[in-house]
Amino acid sequence: MTQQLKIGIVGLGLIGGSIEKRLALKSEQYELLCVSRSQGKEYSLEDLASTDIVFLCGEQSTIPGQLEEIAQIISKSGQEGSVDASERAFAKTIITDCASTKELISSRAHELGLENFIPGHPMAGTEKQGYEASFPELFEGAKWILANRNDKLEQVIAELGAQLVLLDPETHDRAVAVTSHLPLVLSIALANLSNSYSPSQSTRGPGYASMTRLAGGNAKLGREMISLNRANIKDSWQVFKDEVDALLNIYGEELEAEIAMTASQ
Ligand code: NAP
C-alpha cells in the first residue's frame, strides 16, 4: 500500500476547492490540511510545514506574500535551536501554485531561495468563482503546466485527472498571452464596443454571445491576468492587428477579383 500524502491547500475558491473535493474522494491516500478564510478552516501556513505538497490556490496578487511568509517560517525554524537543515519547516515539502501567470511569482520564489517551489498552472476553469462553484471533476482531461518534474506532484496531478505539460515560466507567459489573456481582452473590448458603438443591440446573436462569454467571468482574476502579463499581451496584440489587416485585405481582394470575373463573363 502506498504511503498517505499530506497535502496543504491554501485558498478554497474554484481551483483550491476543486482540488480539495477531488482528493477528499481518496481520503485513505491523502490527508488534507486547508487554509481558508471563507470556509473557516483552522490551519495556518505554519501548520503546513511538514506536508508533502502545498498548493497555493489564492488570487495571484496574494501568492508573493504567502511565499514570503513561508520563507520566514523556514528561516525562523532554522534559528530555533540547532535544527538540521533536513528537519527545518517545509524541508520535505514541494510548494506549487496555480496562478495564471508564472514569471513574477517564480522570480519571487527564486529571490526568496525557495528551492522546493515548482510553478504550476492548471489549464482548467469556468467563469464562476468561489468554493460553491468548485467540483471534483474540474481538472478531468485538462493540461496541468509545471516548470519542473516531481514524482509526488505528478502523482497528485494524475489523481486530479489532469495531464502534465512541462513549460518554463517565460514561455508559459508568452503562450497564455495568445491563448488565454488576449482572448479575454478582446472579449471585454468587444462587449464595451457593442455597448458604445453598435447602432443596434438587437443584432446580438450566438456568435456575439460566444465571443463575449469570457468578459462575463471572474473580473478580479481577469484584471490580475491582464495586469501581470500586459507586456506579452501587448506583443501578441501587435501581431494580431497585422493578422486582422492581412485578412481584411485578402478577403477584399479575393471578392473584388470574383466580382470582376463574374462581370466579364
Ligand atoms: P476564486 O474562486 O475567486 O478563489 C480565490 C480564493 O483566493 C478565494 O476563495 C480565497 O480563498 C482566496 N483569497 C481571496 N482574496 C484573498 C486575500 N486577500 N488573501 C488571501 N486569500 C485570498 O479564484 P479561482 O478561480 O479559484 O483562482 C485561484 C487561482 O487560480 C488564481 O491565482 C487564478 O489565476 C488561478 N487560475 C484560475 C483559473 C480559472 O479559470 N478560474 C484557471 C487556472 C488558474 P479563501 O476564502 O478560502 O481564503
Side-chain angles (χ1 to χ4, degrees), residues 11-16 35-39 57-60 62-63 66 98-100 121-122 124-126 129-130 218 221:
L12 290 180
L14 174 67
I15 298 293
V35 179
S36 168
R37 301 168 316 158
S38 64
Q39 300 308 308
C57 304
E59 293 168 359
Q60 300 190 73
T62 64
I63 293 174
Q66 289 166 347
C98 296
S100 308
H121 181 195
T126 71
Q129 63 190 89
N218 185 332
L221 287 191

Side-chain angles (χ1 to χ4, degrees), residues 66-92:
Q66 289 166 347
L67 293 174
E68 278 156 34
E69 200 180 327
I70 289 171
Q72 278 165 14
I73 296 167
I74 296 172
S75 158
K76 203 172 122 207
S77 75
Q79 287 156 10
E80 283 167 0
S82 56
V83 183
D84 185 79
S86 66
E87 286 172 10
R88 282 186 196 159
F90 296 100
K92 297 181 183 118

Side-chain angles (χ1 to χ4, degrees), residues 92-145:
K92 297 181 183 118
T93 310
I94 291 299
I95 301 157
T96 187
D97 74 317
C98 296
S100 308
T101 61
K102 300 272 56 91
E103 268 194 282
L104 186 100
I105 288 169
S106 22
S107 49
R108 190 69 198 115
H110 184 69
E111 283 161 14
L112 291 164
L114 293 173
E115 288 168 13
N116 292 353
F117 180 72
I118 299 183
H121 181 195
M123 301 302 295
T126 71
E127 56 274 30
K128 299 200 176 125
Q129 63 190 89
Y131 188 72
E132 301 69 31
S134 66
F135 56 101
E137 300 82 17
L138 177 67
F139 308 107
E140 199 64 62
K143 306 274 188 265
W144 194 300
I145 295 170

